[in-house]
Amino acid sequence: MAFVGDSVGRNQLQSMICLLSRVEWPVSLTPDEKFKRWKYPSYNFTIAIFTVPYLIKAKETDPTKPNLFNLYLDEPDERWITQIEDFDYVILNGGHWFMRPLFYYEKQKLVGCTGCRGQNLTDLTMYYGYRQAWKTVFRAINRLENYKGITFHRTLAPAHFENGIWNQGGNCVRTKPFKSSEAPQMEGISLEFYEIQLEEFKIAEKEAKKKGRKFRLLDITKAMWLRPDGHPSRYGHWPQENVSLYNDCVHWCLPGPIDTWSDFLLEMLKMEAVRSPAEEKVHLEVN
């Protein structure tokens, strides 16, 4: 099983490892924390993380200006797409990094950007880059010759900053979940990203069906929208770090609401085991 995406994907993997520790601790197979594999010897089960926040090819524009990237919207990140053919389950995620200033390339040519004030470039918006990235990722998976696994698209895990954005004093100090009747409507960037994911997934799933591939939607967005109490806030850092700069309202506490993602995933895996050819036909017709 491979988790591919950003640090929230790593958060999900860490949650699963914690849950599985009640049965067995894994053995580390590789030293690189961003591209790491573990094995559970008693179960012949390997779990891996590919930390690729954009999923597609990305390069820093200038080493002196960290976190400013060129995105190659029509090229998948070769560091993971060339490795997943051996996996039975691949869980994709991505979202929060696309909110940063970015320069967009297609066919190796600069075509625009987002958040690039003061430059003579077309602002294509973050939504354009996000949609193109998912198109490229899904196409790349569908083109793999030897990949027989199931691809799970884990939808956006919404952040819950209040009273400011992440770098302007925003925080998440609620101690209880929202009730369905009192939760604010999801809107803005989170809603746009979520809708883009659903739209591109449906297109990719239909194409995958033609090739006998299995794409599944692991939709956690609406459930997690109700859990503003689940983030670490100022405690989401190493003890030695300077935590006065920002609060962590993106990642999730352990134990916490994120543990339910493994419950969702387990139920989906059980459904795969019992799904008949007739049910597959109904699933295709419904979607």
Side-chain angles (χ1 to χ4, degrees):
M1 179 177 289
F3 292 83
V4 182
D6 59 23
S7 56
V8 182
R10 183 182 68 237
N11 201 178
Q12 183 181 1
L13 172 138
Q14 291 166 336
S15 168
M16 179 174 286
I17 288 178
C18 287
L19 293 172
L20 295 178
S21 69
R22 290 178 291 182
V23 178
E24 183 176 13
W25 278 104
V27 176
S28 176
L29 300 178
T30 50
D32 188 342
E33 293 298 326
K34 292 186 176 181
F35 299 89
K36 195 174 182 67
R37 301 190 187 203
W38 298 262
K39 186 168 186 176
Y40 292 83
S42 300
Y43 296 87
N44 192 28
F45 174 59
T46 299
I47 194 168
I49 182 73
F50 294 90
T51 306
V52 283
Y54 293 109
L55 297 170
I56 57 176
K57 182 179 176 181
K59 291 184 178 180
E60 283 193 284
T61 60
D62 186 341
T64 65
K65 299 177 181 178
N67 297 323
L68 187 60
F69 286 88
N70 295 331
L71 290 193
Y72 297 83
L73 299 179
D74 51 357
E75 298 182 47
D77 191 322
E78 295 292 326
R79 294 175 297 175
W80 70 271
I81 197 66
T82 59
Q83 300 294 316
I84 65 166
E85 288 185 322
D86 294 333
F87 287 88
D88 298 299
Y89 310 103
V90 174
I91 303 166
L92 303 172
N93 85 97
H96 297 287
W97 280 62
F98 286 83
M99 302 176 194
R100 303 172 181 225
L102 299 166
F103 295 93
Y104 296 146
Y105 285 76
E106 292 178 335
K107 298 181 179 179
Q108 294 292 315
K109 293 182 179 181
L110 182 62
V111 295
C113 63
T114 182
C116 51
R117 297 187 182 95
Q119 302 203 38
N120 189 24
L121 291 171
T122 302
D123 188 345
L124 295 174
T125 77
M126 67 181 78
Y127 306 119
Y128 177 82
Y130 194 57
R131 186 181 295 278
Q132 295 305 113
W134 280 113
K135 285 182 183 291
T136 294
V137 167
F138 288 140
R139 286 171 182 166
I141 293 174
N142 274 326
R143 289 171 181 165
L144 292 174
E145 293 184 4
N146 300 315
Y147 176 57
K148 306 299 181 184
I150 302 175
T151 303
F152 291 89
H153 181 188
R154 198 265 294 153
T155 59
L156 184 74
H160 289 94
F161 289 101
E162 296 185 60
N163 301 315
I165 59 177
W166 70 274
N167 60 349
Q168 295 181 15
N171 204 351
C172 39
V173 296
R174 294 179 184 267
T175 58
K176 294 181 179 180
F178 285 130
K179 295 180 180 178
S180 296
S181 59
E182 68 182 13
Q185 290 292 317
M186 188 164 61
E187 59 184 6
I189 297 173
S190 293
L191 180 59
E192 288 282 348
F193 276 14
Y194 178 56
E195 290 179 342
I196 288 171
Q197 287 182 314
L198 297 184
E199 291 165 4
E200 293 305 321
F201 175 83
K202 288 181 179 179
I203 294 171
E205 184 186 30
K206 288 182 179 180
E207 185 63 27
K209 287 284 186 180
K210 297 176 184 178
K211 299 182 177 183
R213 303 285 174 85
K214 295 181 179 181
F215 277 34
R216 303 290 184 254
L217 190 70
L218 178 54
D219 192 339
I220 55 86
T221 302
K222 293 181 180 179
M224 300 308 285
W225 182 247
L226 301 178
R227 296 304 306 267
D229 58 313
H231 302 286
S233 183
R234 66 187 180 92
Y235 300 103
H237 309 270
W238 295 109
Q240 69 273 17
E241 285 186 300
N242 179 359
V243 298
S244 63
L245 296 178
Y246 63 92
N247 301 297
D248 189 347
C249 303
V250 173
H251 300 96
W252 301 86
C253 295
L254 296 177
I258 193 173
D259 295 327
T260 61
W261 303 5
S262 290
D263 294 332
F264 297 160
L265 180 60
L266 177 60
E267 289 305 311
M268 293 179 74
L269 293 176
K270 289 179 179 178
M271 291 170 63
E272 292 296 330
V274 300
R275 182 174 278 170
S276 68
E279 289 172 321
E280 275 288 330
K281 182 179 179 181
V282 171
H283 177 76
L284 178 59
E285 291 174 347
V286 169
N287 289 278

